Amino acid sequence: MSVTDDQADQRTALGGPGLPQERRLVTSIPGPRSRELADRRTAAVASGVSSSMPVYAVAAGGGVLVDADGNSLIDLGSGIAVTTVGNADPAVAAAVAAQAAQLTHTCFTITPYEGYVEVAERLNRLTPGDHAKRSALFSSGAEAVENAIKIARHHTGRTAVVAFDHAYHGRTNLTMALTAKSMPYKAGFGPFASEVYRAPMSYPYRDGLSGPEAAKRAITVIEKQVGAADLAAVIIEPVQGEGGFVVPAEGFLPALQEWCTANRVVFIVDEIQSGFARTGDLFASEHEGLVPDLITTAKGIAGGMPLSAVTGRTEIMDAPHAGGLGGTYAGNPVACAAALASLDHFEHGGLVERAREIGTLLLDRLHAAQASDPRVGDVRGRGAMVAIELVDPASGEPDAALTAAVARRAAREGVIVLTCGTYGNVIRLLPPLAIGDDLLSEGIDVLLGALADS
Ligand code: PLZ
């Protein structure tokens, strides 16, 4: 069937990079249509599910998101680091449409299909380390993390797991236990899974420790309070996401990995937020030459479709018995098709280089802001994963109220920015790599203007 000009026009009008790349406000934020939808939502959607932006989305692409009132907002969040290749990317959209027209589901554990196998092959090749690897696919990030822990326990025959201060690994029962922050993720939702222990993170801005010093502190806690003999796995985000874009001091991660190897503890690196070109390397692990035993991925992998994976050393991945891993939707064929199209972009689309360029632009602007505004306590991150931490200049205490006010003001002016951090005082920037420099600069102008006015 051929596509008529009308159909092609309509497709560009709906979303993808064909959307005009501009910030355009035609109503106040939120506009009347979004307000109407908010009323319907209040009457229909459980209030525990909340949204940080007041506008309802109808289309997105490149660096913009268009809302139900026709406002075009600059997207500096990528739906929490998901639409890295761009929203409604044409190659991803075409792969999804083609696969959906072919078959939408069989359940891989009933009738397997090639797309799943190919995603596994490519993850095995692309993730750090050239040892023999295997992958298992799932749907959400939390599911990948849960399965990584299951696999590590099966392999080692041990039960304990160590996660870190400020960690975020998900909202399911086991991953809530791994996640550090109580409000909003855990409060009232216990009891939590047992045998999860917490070690101190390297947080250079707040602890002032070098990487080796912070590693020594963490390893002492692990050895004295948990004991290597009972420890199945250590799980860590190489750049923390929800916890505040905390970048550990150089040397911290390699020292942890070395200790894990020496103690036959599975070293799991959670790259669900930091993976797929986000930090200016295909995986953040590469920055310090880490070779995780297991790596969890999701978010950016499939350009917006729900897919996640655990990839790692064959001898660990193959420990569970046949039938021990799976899930009805795990590695859904439409999501796999989207992943293959996205992985083409990551491998051949210059996205790692683009993330580095974005990083340079962002860090230059943010460091300049820090030099003139003492409330910007810290500027950190790599590539298209950078943040500012806002503090009270007199005391150095986190300023969550200022952070929320800045994000709200930026939203009203047509820029989507996300906050994060254990103390709620971090503004994080995660633009789609499909954003252009002009739009990105305009987004930062608005953000810094909102800071200046708050
Ligand atoms: N590991 C490192 O960043 C998801 C959470 C959004 P799921 N982060 C966004 C929210 O408020 O629920 C995340 C992550 C890291 C695991 C996860 C979990 O991934 O796909 O949300 O389950």
Side-chain angles (χ1 to χ4, degrees), residues 1-312:
M1 199 186 74
S2 68
V3 177
T4 65
D5 280 353
D6 264 8
Q7 284 170 321
D9 282 354
Q10 207 192 359
R11 228 180 19 218
T12 8
L14 284 176
L19 280 179
Q21 295 297 298
E22 61 183 11
R23 181 170 65 106
R24 184 185 68 236
L25 297 182
V26 296
T27 69
S28 58
I29 300 285
R33 182 76 187 119
S34 280
R35 285 179 199 272
E36 225 175 275
L37 286 165
D39 289 343
R40 271 173 61 194
R41 173 209 182 114
T42 305
V45 178
S47 56
V49 183
S50 65
S51 301
S52 54
M53 288 289 297
V55 299
Y56 282 71
V58 293
V64 298
L65 179 145
V66 175
D67 77 5
D69 293 285
N71 299 299
S72 176
L73 292 89
I74 299 176
D75 180 10
L76 300 183
S78 302
I80 322 189
V82 171
T83 54
T84 306
V85 299
N87 213 313
D89 169 74
V92 171
V96 164
Q99 181 58 52
Q102 199 80 31
L103 61 84
T104 49
H105 173 83
T106 62
C107 192
F108 189 76
T109 55
I110 306 293
T111 320
Y113 38 86
E114 184 174 352
Y116 185 120
V117 178
E118 194 176 339
V119 171
E121 287 169 348
R122 290 173 70 169
L123 287 173
N124 296 346
R125 178 161 57 75
L126 293 171
T127 50
D130 49 17
H131 49 278
K133 293 178 211 150
R134 296 288 185 272
S135 287
L137 306 186
F138 303 95
S139 303
S140 70
E143 217 185 343
V145 170
E146 290 241 358
N147 278 282
I149 304 292
K150 282 165 67 173
I151 292 165
R153 283 178 168 159
H154 211 297
H155 169 73
T156 56
R158 306 172 182 174
T159 53
V161 180
V162 163
F164 287 82
D165 286 335
H166 315 291
Y168 184 91
H169 298 290
R171 294 176 183 264
T172 57
N173 190 259
L174 174 56
T175 60
M176 268 194 296
L178 296 169
T179 290
K181 192 174 177 178
S182 169
M183 200 55 148
Y185 307 120
K186 302 167 74 164
F189 296 134
F192 305 112
S194 60
E195 287 307 300
V196 172
Y197 300 88
R198 198 159 305 284
M201 179 65 182
S202 164
Y203 192 158
Y205 174 62
R206 294 205 165 268
D207 65 25
L209 298 180
S210 71
E213 287 164 351
K216 185 162 180 253
R217 178 179 66 173
I219 288 166
T220 304
V221 167
I222 297 171
E223 285 181 340
K224 301 301 170 204
Q225 297 182 23
V226 189
D230 292 322
L231 186 57
V234 165
I235 182 164
I236 191 159
E237 300 153 85
V239 175
Q240 289 183 322
E242 306 308 305
F245 277 32
V246 178
V247 184
E250 296 273 327
F252 178 74
L253 295 168
L256 273 185
Q257 157 139 52
E258 203 177 299
W259 182 87
C260 285
T261 307
N263 290 280
R264 296 182 43 251
V265 171
V266 179
F267 183 59
I268 305 174
V269 177
D270 181 347
E271 292 244 21
I272 286 168
Q273 190 152 164
S274 59
F276 297 109
R278 185 49 58 193
T279 60
D281 285 296
L282 193 53
F283 295 99
S285 293
E286 291 166 36
H287 184 69
E288 289 190 83
L290 297 184
V291 180
D293 294 321
L294 301 181
I295 178 167
T296 53
T297 54
K299 291 192 186 278
I301 190 175
M305 295 296 286
L307 190 75
S308 65
V310 185
T311 300

Side-chain angles (χ1 to χ4, degrees), residues 326-407:
T328 306
Y329 297 113
N332 168 271
V334 181
C336 285
L340 293 174
S342 302
L343 289 169
D344 284 343
H345 286 312
F346 289 120
E347 282 193 77
H348 311 296
L351 293 182
V352 164
E353 295 71 24
R354 181 64 191 141
R356 289 184 184 193
E357 283 169 14
I358 288 175
T360 303
L361 189 154
L362 292 178
L363 289 173
D364 281 355
R365 296 292 311 273
L366 298 175
H367 278 130
Q370 184 183 30
S372 64
D373 188 338
R375 297 172 303 167
V376 182
D378 195 24
V379 175
R380 57 178 177 252
R382 292 199 297 271
M385 184 171 186
V386 306
I388 51 176
E389 176 159 352
L390 299 179
V391 296
D392 174 342
S395 63
E397 287 297 307
D399 195 338
L402 171 65
T403 307
V406 172

